[in-house]
Amino acid sequence: MRIVALGDTHGRVIWKDIVDKEIIAADKIIFIGDYFDTHGGGVSGNKQIVNFKELLQLKREYPDKIVLLFGNHDFHYIRGIGETYSGYQAGYAVDIGAAIGDAITEGLVQMCYKHDKFVFTHAGVTMTWCVDNEIDMTDLETSINDMFKYKPAAFKFTMGGNFSNTGDDVTQPPIWVRPLSLLHDMVGGITCVVGHTTVKEIGISERLILIDTLGISEEYLIINDGVPEKGKLIRK
């Protein structure tokens, strides 16, 4: 089993080169979420929407190979959520929300993907959040994805005892928790593969793999038969 996982996209198109390189050999290509909000990255809202729609088309073409996970910078555009985070694009919110709404209705996006011990979510899965939301620990993927489908408000920013405005609390959902809190309270027996927190290079440890690197090193993650390693494009 060869799994390829890409960090936060934020409107970048580098994913196209990675997909071109990996699409034949990979069994799964997983996008970790955050397709919108560039934080000054110079990609217009219109281009972000086009980029997202191209990702959706890729998912339609390879429904069993492509996994599109959801991030906090996608979540705040869902109609009725009523939260906005840093980078929120009010001028494009209606159009982005429509694109995201269509993706959810069509079943093209999800919150969680699990293979063996590896659990892929945008930010990670804490025991506290699972208990508070009655998540079935024996089937994390299905239970978390069903929660997103039927009770999306469970993924709202959830302040905890650290009173962290950046999400460094064990109470935070799988699109918001930060690595320190995640490591303190991670569901047992799994390795979380996450984006959300930008790092200079892919960080691989037994319990946590950090992959939000597309905007810096352009690295991505490869898991070959359970063994994680770094992948990188060779630029000509």
Side-chain angles (χ1 to χ4, degrees):
M1 180 76 167
R2 180 180 175 90
I3 298 173
V4 172
L6 289 74
D8 303 22
T9 308
H10 289 301
R12 301 181 186 98
V13 297
I14 186 177
W15 65 267
K16 297 179 182 181
D17 293 329
I18 297 171
V19 168
D20 285 346
K21 179 182 178 182
E22 298 286 352
I23 192 68
I24 295 175
D27 296 289
K28 294 284 184 182
I29 299 179
I30 301 169
F31 291 81
I32 212 72
D34 272 8
Y35 309 105
F36 297 99
D37 302 344
T38 64
H39 299 292
V43 182
S44 72
N46 284 331
K47 288 184 178 179
Q48 292 171 49
I49 294 168
V50 169
N51 196 36
F52 181 61
K53 289 182 177 180
E54 289 175 343
L55 279 164
L56 297 181
Q57 186 57 35
L58 180 70
K59 170 67 175 177
R60 294 184 188 102
E61 292 173 6
Y62 299 93
D64 297 324
K65 180 171 286 194
I66 303 299
V67 177
L68 300 179
L69 299 179
F70 222 63
N72 57 306
H73 285 281
D74 315 310
F75 182 76
H76 63 176
Y77 291 107
I78 295 176
R79 183 177 298 174
I81 285 300
E83 292 187 338
T84 59
Y85 317 131
S86 64
Y88 182 77
Q89 302 165 91
Y92 292 98
V94 172
D95 291 338
I96 294 174
I100 285 175
D102 289 345
I104 293 172
T105 300
E106 199 174 335
L108 300 176
V109 292
Q110 60 195 73
M111 276 290 181
C112 180
Y113 174 76
K114 184 176 186 296
H115 177 75
D116 291 338
K117 69 176 183 177
F118 298 101
V119 175
F120 299 80
T121 60
H122 182 64
V125 186
T126 69
M127 182 67 73
T128 296
W129 182 83
C130 286
V131 170
D132 288 347
N133 290 279
E134 300 181 341
I135 296 298
D136 181 0
M137 303 292 187
T138 67
D139 191 357
L140 278 176
E141 179 179 342
T142 300
S143 190
I144 290 173
N145 288 332
D146 283 349
M147 183 65 68
F148 179 46
K149 184 176 180 179
Y150 298 111
K151 296 181 180 179
F155 296 88
K156 286 187 173 185
F157 187 93
T158 308
M159 189 74 77
N162 289 340
F163 300 102
S164 169
N165 290 324
T166 63
D168 192 9
D169 274 298
V170 297
T171 52
Q172 293 287 2
I175 60 171
W176 259 113
V177 65
R178 296 294 178 178
L180 288 178
S181 291
L182 177 61
L183 283 170
H184 177 72
D185 191 44
M186 190 186 297
V187 173
I190 67 173
T191 298
C192 280
V193 181
V194 307
H196 186 52
T197 299
T198 303
V199 289
K200 292 181 179 180
E201 59 183 5
I202 297 283
I204 299 173
S205 64
E206 179 62 29
R207 300 206 64 205
L208 181 62
I209 301 178
L210 303 170
I211 69 168
D212 184 12
T213 57
L214 287 185
I216 301 178
S217 67
E218 298 186 343
E219 292 176 341
Y220 57 96
L221 178 70
I222 301 170
I223 302 176
N224 269 318
D225 295 328
V227 179
E229 61 188 57
K230 299 177 183 180
K232 190 173 176 64
L233 292 170
I234 298 175
R235 300 291 192 179
K236 294 182 180 181

